[in-house]
Amino acid sequence: MAMDTSKLHLPKTVATAVVNKVKETSTIAALSPSSPQIFTDKEYMIFNGAAEADVTAEGQTKSSYEQKLGYVSGKTFKVQTTTRVTSELKWADEDNRFQIIQSIQAEAIGRALDYVVYHAVNPKTGGPLTGFDALTARAMQVTAGDDDITNVDNLADQLNETYDINGIAISRTWASRLRKIRVPATGMRYYPEIPLNLQVGTLDGIKAATSATVNGAKAKTPTNVLAIMGDFSLIKWGMVRDITSEIIPYGDPDQTGVDLKAHNQIAYRTEAMFSYAVVEPKAFAVLKTSTEEGA
């Protein structure tokens, strides 16, 4: 008699595939270096740098300059993302599991920094955060016109007399518009540094970064933001605690009313604690569409 193998359960391996969609990452992390933080309410002492040297003659009484000090208090916030997956993922090897966690969670943690600092918005819900002030509301305001070359100049004009400009965060919408501008006489691109994938490295000689976090794509109320230019060294940020990940095999960790074990699921939870301060909001200029255009 021939052996019937139809009911034999042969060993299987779990193959994983991650679809590489557009990576929306933190522009703040790209344009402003992080610094280690401790779990305290840090205050930043601000010097305005307004002193000038005084030319004095021999024997002349020397004048002085009284430095007025300001203080900016840092804020801390905790972010977490919990993702439910089939329990079969436990069978995948460690490399595959790490790839999934990195792809679906680590980048979400990074994007949260932009949403909190720029817009004071919770990226999960799209709603406003209580007790946080949006940089885009406190920065110098520039209303976008039809000429995007002029829009770049107008952003710079808001800052150049007083502050250094070392970076620009660009929405993908505006990056696409800038990429399409051509020199009338030659047909060459006016901003050839913007590639097809819109991952801008520089713009007009300054460091640039592109992400949908700039316009707050997940915000319930449209922000109308196209770009943010300024001195990104004045955004002080860092992690109070490193990113941690854990596997949750039982219970209802995200309060959905669905038990993990009963539905053959496990959950991955990734958490991080950030601290940040915007030392001088007026060192930034934000380009926005008009209310009518952004509606």
Side-chain angles (χ1 to χ4, degrees), residues 132-151:
F132 290 82
D133 298 316
L135 171 59
T136 51
R138 297 184 293 157
M140 306 295 286
Q141 305 292 307
V142 178
T143 300
D146 294 332
D147 187 340
D148 279 321
I149 298 174
T150 301
N151 289 333

Side-chain angles (χ1 to χ4, degrees), residues 4-295:
D4 182 4
T5 61
S6 62
K7 294 183 180 180
L8 286 179
H9 293 279
L10 301 178
K12 296 180 180 179
T13 60
V14 177
T16 59
V18 177
V19 177
N20 288 319
K21 299 180 69 176
V22 171
K23 287 183 171 61
E24 303 296 358
T25 55
S26 169
T27 59
I28 293 175
L31 299 173
S32 174
S34 66
S35 56
Q37 304 289 319
I38 58 176
F39 194 70
T40 59
D41 294 328
K42 180 180 286 189
E43 280 196 333
Y44 294 86
M45 185 182 295
I46 302 173
F47 294 88
N48 60 22
E52 295 292 349
D54 183 20
V55 178
T56 58
E58 186 70 28
Q60 181 179 340
T61 302
K62 297 177 176 63
S63 62
S64 64
Y65 173 81
E66 182 177 347
Q67 172 68 59
K68 295 181 179 180
L69 299 178
Y71 294 88
V72 173
S73 297
K75 283 183 173 291
T76 58
F77 65 95
K78 184 176 184 178
V79 292
Q80 72 84 29
T81 176
T82 301
T83 306
R84 289 174 176 247
V85 296
T86 174
S87 59
E88 293 175 356
L89 185 60
K90 291 188 295 185
W91 305 342
D93 61 35
E94 293 295 331
D95 288 341
N96 278 329
R97 279 187 279 182
F98 177 74
Q99 181 187 16
I100 290 176
I101 293 173
Q102 185 180 44
S103 297
I104 64 179
Q105 294 194 322
E107 290 174 3
I109 294 291
R111 289 192 295 269
L113 179 63
D114 282 16
Y115 274 94
V116 174
V117 177
Y118 289 156
H119 310 295
V121 162
N122 184 338
K124 176 65 166 61
T125 64
L129 291 169
T130 303
F132 290 82
D133 298 316
L135 171 59
T136 51
R138 297 184 293 157
M140 306 295 286
Q141 305 292 307
V142 178
T143 300
D146 294 332
D147 187 340
D148 279 321
I149 298 174
T150 301
N151 289 333
V152 175
D153 293 338
N154 288 342
L155 276 172
D157 287 344
Q158 287 289 334
L159 304 170
N160 268 332
E161 292 295 327
T162 309
Y163 300 101
D164 286 334
I165 298 172
N166 60 22
I168 181 169
I170 306 173
S171 68
R172 296 185 68 82
T173 298
W174 201 47
S176 179
R177 281 167 45 176
L178 291 174
R179 191 188 69 81
K180 296 170 184 174
I181 300 175
R182 295 183 180 272
V183 179
T186 64
M188 299 291 290
R189 295 194 186 278
Y190 199 89
Y191 295 104
E193 63 269 41
I194 303 179
L196 283 171
N197 65 3
L198 305 182
Q199 295 303 313
V200 186
T202 61
L203 182 73
D204 260 7
I206 63 171
K207 193 173 182 181
T210 310
S211 179
T213 60
V214 175
N215 58 295
K218 295 183 181 298
K220 286 184 177 179
T221 302
T223 68
N224 299 332
V225 174
L226 294 174
I228 303 164
M229 179 185 286
D231 184 353
F232 279 81
S233 69
L234 296 180
I235 298 179
K236 307 296 185 181
W237 73 278
M239 282 193 176
V240 177
R241 292 290 182 266
D242 290 338
I243 292 178
T244 60
S245 292
E246 63 175 326
I247 300 174
I248 306 172
Y250 306 103
D252 182 15
D254 44 4
Q255 302 300 304
T256 62
V258 178
D259 182 75
L260 289 169
K261 193 70 174 177
H263 289 77
N264 294 319
Q265 294 178 329
I266 57 174
Y268 286 93
R269 173 169 289 166
T270 302
E271 296 183 349
M273 178 77 78
F274 287 97
S275 176
Y276 82 95
V278 179
V279 175
E280 176 52 88
K282 298 303 181 185
F284 296 87
V286 56
L287 180 69
K288 295 181 179 180
T289 60
S290 64
T291 305
E292 293 77 12
E293 183 181 350

